[in-house]
Amino acid sequence: MTPAFADRFAAISLDELVAEAELLTRVDRKYLLTAADAERVLAQVDDRTRVLEIDGERGSQYGTMYFDTPDLLSYRLAALGRRRRFKLRARHYVDTDAAFLELKTRGSRGTTVKDRIPSDAVDRLTAEGRAYAAEGIAALGIAPAVVDELVPTLHTAYRRTTLLLPEGARATIDTDLEWADVQGERMARADLVIVETKSASRASSLDRLLWRAAIRPVGISKFATGLAALRPELPSNKWSRVLRTHFDAHHALAA
């Protein structure tokens, strides 16, 4: 279901969006807010904003499987703020049934690299996928053998709406958030919305609307924050404020 806020905007195609706002060099800001606050802020977005429309749909369903070792090496590297870290996920564009294996790495100089290859599997690693991941992980100085230990760990699902703001900045609005880990824990949060803005350098008009509503950027990772919420025994100081504010234990739903 397309969020109501998107109905008033003119449509833009994917090709037009890429041509007008590819934003290869950009500043990303993430916000986590209640659905009520999101509705209130998004109602103020400039009417000249356009919304991505594909095959008549103004929103796309995403499913993502994250891979980690049994002792959660990828999660722990992020939780402990290690300069060299990685995140491996299979992203499934449900509406078109396209899938990609994506590797995101952060090196010793703090630079982040995200790359991806097409994938036929969304819930397991193929031999080709492991070879692809091993090459990227080895570049960090992490033993390539770690790739042999990677297993499906956490699945996330959400609906994404993409906006092109009048000044050329982009924004994604993720709703209907769900998490499920391999231990059988589940969490559905229809009451939360993740907004991410992507601008060349200056704050976008949506950033300023959020700031005026006293909503500030937060450090949130669907993988790390979701896993920490489902498994409270994990080290999670990096996301403690977000967890305390938005992810109380009673929100976790039994499988």
Side-chain angles (χ1 to χ4, degrees), residues 4-96:
F5 72 83
D7 290 340
R8 64 187 173 94
F9 301 132
I12 186 172
S13 70
L14 182 58
D15 288 343
E16 290 173 319
L17 179 70
V18 171
E20 294 193 33
E22 189 172 11
L23 292 176
L24 292 177
T25 301
R26 68 194 192 192
V27 176
D28 297 350
R29 299 178 179 90
K30 290 184 180 180
Y31 304 84
L32 180 64
L33 53 163
T34 66
D37 283 342
E39 182 178 358
R40 176 167 52 87
V41 171
L42 293 170
Q44 303 174 57
V45 170
D46 194 306
D47 288 338
R48 295 172 296 167
T49 295
R50 286 176 285 173
V51 59
L52 176 63
E53 184 173 292
I54 300 175
D55 295 332
E57 294 291 332
R58 295 187 168 199
S60 300
Q61 189 67 33
Y62 284 52
T64 305
M65 178 64 79
Y66 292 89
F67 300 91
D68 206 344
T69 61
D71 63 350
L72 302 178
L73 175 63
S74 175
Y75 173 88
R76 293 178 188 279
L77 289 174
L80 298 175
R82 297 291 187 256
R83 293 181 66 85
R84 298 175 184 266
R85 56 185 188 263
F86 70 93
K87 185 186 298 179
L88 184 67
R89 65 191 182 192
R91 171 161 286 179
H92 183 206
Y93 297 86
V94 177
D95 300 329
T96 60

Side-chain angles (χ1 to χ4, degrees), residues 123-135:
D123 58 356
R124 60 184 176 84
L125 280 177
T126 63
E128 179 186 10
R130 291 187 187 278
Y132 158 78
E135 183 177 356

Side-chain angles (χ1 to χ4, degrees), residues 172-241:
T172 57
I173 320 296
D174 294 344
T175 57
D176 300 327
L177 303 165
E178 297 182 6
W179 290 262
D181 78 0
V182 293
Q183 294 184 350
E185 296 295 328
R186 301 177 65 86
M187 180 169 59
R189 298 301 306 274
D191 59 319
L192 292 180
V193 174
I194 296 175
V195 174
E196 184 170 0
T197 62
K198 308 168 192 296
S199 55
S201 57
R202 297 174 56 187
S204 71
S205 55
L206 179 51
D207 287 302
R208 291 192 292 273
L209 282 175
L210 289 160
W211 297 347
R212 284 200 291 271
I215 300 168
R216 297 294 173 181
V218 296
I220 182 170
S221 156
K222 288 188 181 73
F223 169 59
T225 310
L227 196 60
L230 291 173
R231 304 188 192 181
E233 74 278 6
L234 293 176
S236 58
N237 287 346
K238 185 174 180 180
W239 306 286
S240 59
R241 180 183 172 192

